[in-house]
Amino acid sequence: LIVDDYTELKEAEKLLQASKEKYQRIVETANEGIWVVDDTQTTTFINVKMAEMIGYAVDEIIGKNFESFLFTEDLIDHREKMEHRRQGKPDDYNQRLCRKDGSELWTRVSATPILESEGNFQGAFMMFSDMTQERALQLQLFQSQKMEALGILVGGIAHDFNNMLQIIIGYGELLMGDIEQAKGETRLLTTILKTAQTASEQVTKFMELGQQSMVFPKPTDLNARIRELEPVISKLPNIAHLEIDLIAEPTIIKQDPGQLGQIIMILATNASEAMPNGGQLELSTSKVMLDEAFSKTHYQGAKAGPHVLLTVTDTGKGIDEAILPMIFDPFFSTKERGNIKGMGLGLSVLRGIVQQRGGFVTCKSDLDRGSTFRLYFPEIEPPTTPVSEDTTISQIEFEKGILVVEDSSLVGVLERTALDAAGYQTIPASNGKDAVNVYKERHSEIGLVILDILMPEMNGRDCLMELRKINPLVKVIVFTGYDPKGELYLAMKPYVISFLHKPCKMSQLVEVVQLVMEG
């Protein structure tokens, strides 16, 4: 009788099985997605985490080729990386996968080749980290940086362009007066002035696109603004039924009332154009409490906390999913080129206005079923006392002169020509430093200063502060076409009597000056 002792072998088998089960549990419960393929890229193993990340059950993936879970445009890049695996090279890279619902899953992959003892390639072991949220934040950061750079660019151009338009409109207005007095034909000149005014409106859109426009944010009731615009919206074409559903509580946000009205009308107008055969438009307001994760996912500059939500829904033709991510891009438009309404600035301007105050915008749309825009505005406390914007103006003697501070010589001559014609004595200054020197010597004979903001050597704010050192009661009208810092004028506002934006008619300038000079 021969007896073999298998005790040690059995013990080794038990230890091996325990080790196998241990590592199986580690793989199954790992926080990272794990995907193993053979040399033909057929899936031989995938853990539960990876299956959840991509939206499938494990048994739906086992036996399937890895490439069937990639987007077509990513195949070439993936095959190049697989060649690295076949050469025995590990690698870390970004990989986009296609979820079961067709959405994108952005991942960071650590891929290691599986080699047999002779060194032949048998497959690849891949670990995936979900980077979808990080990817969204990166895109938002890039978009923010792109818009900031664009704002600086268009803002600088707008400043010079507004000066040129001011010359066209201002001298055109003076020429119009001469022709009318001589009872001449003004039709051609009227066309020139109307075209210049249209150009001025387009420049304003560019400035808002770059968040460079002069704005005066203050506590504003969103509900009240919608009610004010309801009669106008109801008269838009193609809106067969207008539904206004506003929360009963006050909806106080910090926005410039004019800009707030602009974004409401942008959405209403777009909805009207999206319903050529008629349809329903609904505007509703509500209050929501957003957490940090939701806010950061939708817009990097957003903060958690109470928000007022404006929801605008239409029953129009909707937006194709392929172009939905591009609708807020500058100059993107589905309208025909050559149509002045189709420049693609509306939604870009809208998003710039909302984000300027810490809010954000989302859009959901289905073809032939309509679109829903949601605008999130940070809620603020209602003001406890009425906000007064009036500035007390002391009586200024009419015979005192006006210091005109303007770095553009042609615009400066235009301003002085109009004011001289109205009976005022004007004193020129070509920049901020020049203005301070002139005011030091002649402040007793100067009753008013007309001041630009963007000037060489010394900007308008610094100039104003120097003038106030000489005379704390100096009277100032700001006449400008651009604020390079967005909030620069707001720092000046408490010390300024009035504000005029270039380009404007010289009659408007004269009217404002008369109001100030005559108290």
Side-chain angles (χ1 to χ4, degrees):
L1 179 64
I2 298 174
V3 178
D4 292 327
D5 187 354
Y6 289 101
T7 304
E8 291 186 7
L9 179 60
K10 289 293 184 181
E11 189 65 30
E13 287 179 349
K14 289 169 80 172
L15 290 173
L16 180 62
Q17 181 63 29
S19 177
K20 181 179 179 181
E21 290 175 357
K22 174 184 176 181
Y23 285 105
Q24 181 77 14
R25 286 194 300 271
I26 292 173
V27 169
E28 289 292 349
T29 59
N31 287 325
E32 303 295 313
I34 297 175
W35 200 320
V36 181
V37 297
D38 63 16
D39 60 342
T40 65
Q41 296 197 61
T42 300
T43 303
T44 59
F45 175 82
I46 186 171
N47 69 346
V48 174
K49 177 67 175 180
M50 188 70 244
E52 290 175 350
M53 287 167 59
I54 204 167
Y56 289 88
V58 170
D59 58 6
E60 290 181 291
I61 302 176
I62 298 295
K64 298 287 181 62
N65 191 291
F66 180 78
E67 288 192 355
S68 63
F69 301 94
L70 299 178
F71 289 92
T72 304
E73 54 267 36
D74 296 337
L75 287 175
I76 294 176
D77 184 58
H78 167 71
R79 288 168 183 170
E80 289 177 354
K81 289 182 171 60
M82 283 305 296
E83 282 302 314
H84 292 173
R85 303 297 85 71
R86 287 188 170 89
Q87 296 170 20
K89 299 176 182 177
D91 200 2
D92 291 326
Y93 55 92
N94 293 330
Q95 178 70 67
R96 182 176 62 152
L97 299 175
C98 181
R99 289 192 177 103
K100 188 174 183 178
D101 62 6
S103 62
E104 296 178 340
L105 171 67
W106 285 92
T107 66
R108 183 67 181 172
V109 185
S110 179
T112 305
I114 301 174
L115 306 175
E116 61 183 14
S117 57
E118 289 81 7
N120 295 323
F121 178 74
Q122 286 189 316
F125 179 92
M126 298 175 287
M127 293 187 66
F128 294 80
S129 300
D130 188 345
M131 302 292 291
T132 304
Q133 184 171 345
E134 288 81 352
R135 169 79 176 181
L137 292 175
Q138 287 174 355
L139 291 175
Q140 288 174 9
L141 177 61
F142 173 75
Q143 179 69 17
S144 175
Q145 291 171 336
K146 181 175 70 173
M147 293 299 292
E148 182 179 359
L150 181 61
I152 294 171
L153 174 64
V154 301
I157 295 172
H159 173 259
D160 294 336
F161 199 61
N162 275 332
N163 274 339
M164 290 185 282
L165 286 172
Q166 183 61 69
I167 293 166
I168 296 171
I169 293 174
Y171 282 110
E173 183 188 12
L174 297 177
L175 182 58
M176 177 75 79
D178 292 342
I179 295 175
E180 286 176 344
Q181 287 181 3
K183 298 182 179 181
E185 175 59 56
T186 61
R187 179 174 54 86
L188 297 179
L189 185 55
T190 299
T191 301
I192 292 173
L193 290 174
K194 285 183 177 179
T195 304
Q197 189 59 46
T198 300
S200 170
E201 292 167 2
Q202 294 303 320
V203 172
T204 299
K205 287 186 178 182
F206 279 112
M207 294 174 72
E208 288 167 346
L209 168 66
Q211 301 184 17
Q212 299 293 335
S213 57
M214 292 293 185
V215 296
F216 307 101
K218 64 179 183 179
T220 304
D221 191 330
L222 175 60
N223 283 347
R225 199 72 184 97
I226 293 173
R227 287 297 185 196
E228 290 173 4
L229 294 171
E230 184 177 359
V232 180
I233 297 172
S234 64
K235 292 181 173 62
L236 290 174
N238 307 325
I239 298 180
H241 179 68
L242 175 62
E243 183 76 24
I244 304 290
D245 182 16
L246 307 180
I247 190 173
E249 307 168 40
T251 50
I252 308 301
I253 60 178
K254 191 172 184 180
Q255 281 285 342
D256 176 85
Q259 287 193 329
L260 185 58
Q262 181 183 5
I263 64 178
I264 294 170
M265 290 307 301
I266 287 173
L267 292 174
T269 303
N270 282 359
S272 168
E273 294 174 351
M275 301 185 293
N277 299 319
Q280 177 173 315
L281 175 63
E282 179 180 351
L283 284 78
S284 65
T285 58
S286 59
K287 293 188 178 183
V288 293
M289 180 65 70
L290 302 183
D291 59 25
E292 196 76 26
F294 181 89
S295 301
K296 296 302 181 185
T297 300
H298 289 77
Y299 174 54
Q300 192 179 24
K303 295 181 179 179
H307 283 67
V308 174
L309 171 61
L310 168 61
T311 304
V312 180
T313 303
D314 65 65
T315 57
K317 55 189 178 182
I319 304 169
D320 192 304
E321 185 180 359
I323 66 173
L324 191 59
M326 299 183 283
I327 62 173
F328 294 105
D329 287 350
F331 309 112
F332 177 81
S333 177
T334 57
K335 302 170 187 175
E336 293 182 6
R337 288 297 173 188
N339 180 350
I340 196 68
K341 296 181 180 179
M343 291 183 68
L345 292 177
L347 290 178
S348 295
V349 167
L350 178 149
R351 183 173 62 176
I353 292 172
V354 176
Q355 290 183 352
Q356 205 168 12
R357 297 285 132 208
F360 56 91
V361 186
T362 67
C363 177
K364 182 179 180 181
S365 186
D366 296 306
L367 280 178
D368 302 320
R369 298 182 62 182
S371 303
T372 297
F373 286 84
R374 291 183 174 88
L375 284 67
Y376 295 83
F377 301 94
E379 184 181 13
I380 64 171
E381 292 293 326
T384 54
T385 56
V387 179
S388 175
E389 297 186 358
D390 295 334
T391 302
T392 302
I393 304 172
S394 60
Q395 183 69 30
I396 300 176
E397 299 175 11
F398 185 84
E399 61 269 15
K400 283 192 174 183
I402 300 173
L403 178 60
V404 178
V405 189
E406 175 58 63
D407 63 304
S408 169
S409 58
L410 288 175
V411 176
V413 170
L414 172 63
E415 292 177 48
R416 296 197 302 276
T417 299
L419 293 170
D420 289 344
Y424 296 101
Q425 176 188 356
T426 59
I427 304 168
S430 59
N431 56 58
K433 283 189 175 180
D434 187 23
V436 172
N437 292 332
V438 171
Y439 198 74
K440 279 180 180 177
E441 296 179 5
R442 305 177 62 178
H443 65 272
S444 61
E445 56 185 284
I446 295 174
L448 177 66
V449 178
I450 299 178
L451 182 63
D452 198 353
I453 289 181
L454 188 63
M455 297 181 294
E457 298 190 52
M458 179 184 287
N459 65 43
R461 180 187 59 187
D462 294 342
C463 177
L464 174 59
M465 295 302 107
E466 291 299 318
L467 296 179
R468 284 179 55 79
K469 290 178 182 178
I470 302 168
N471 175 17
L473 299 179
V474 60
K475 303 301 184 292
V476 175
I477 294 174
V478 168
F479 187 39
T480 187
Y482 171 59
D483 177 3
K485 296 183 180 178
E487 303 289 337
L488 187 57
Y489 178 74
L490 297 180
M492 301 172 64
K493 188 179 178 184
Y495 314 107
V496 171
I497 292 174
S498 187
F499 164 73
L500 277 175
H501 194 280
K502 298 175 184 174
C504 75
K505 294 182 177 180
M506 286 295 96
S507 56
Q508 291 176 267
L509 176 62
V510 171
E511 182 180 356
V512 171
V513 168
Q514 287 175 340
L515 290 173
V516 174
M517 294 293 279
E518 297 174 12

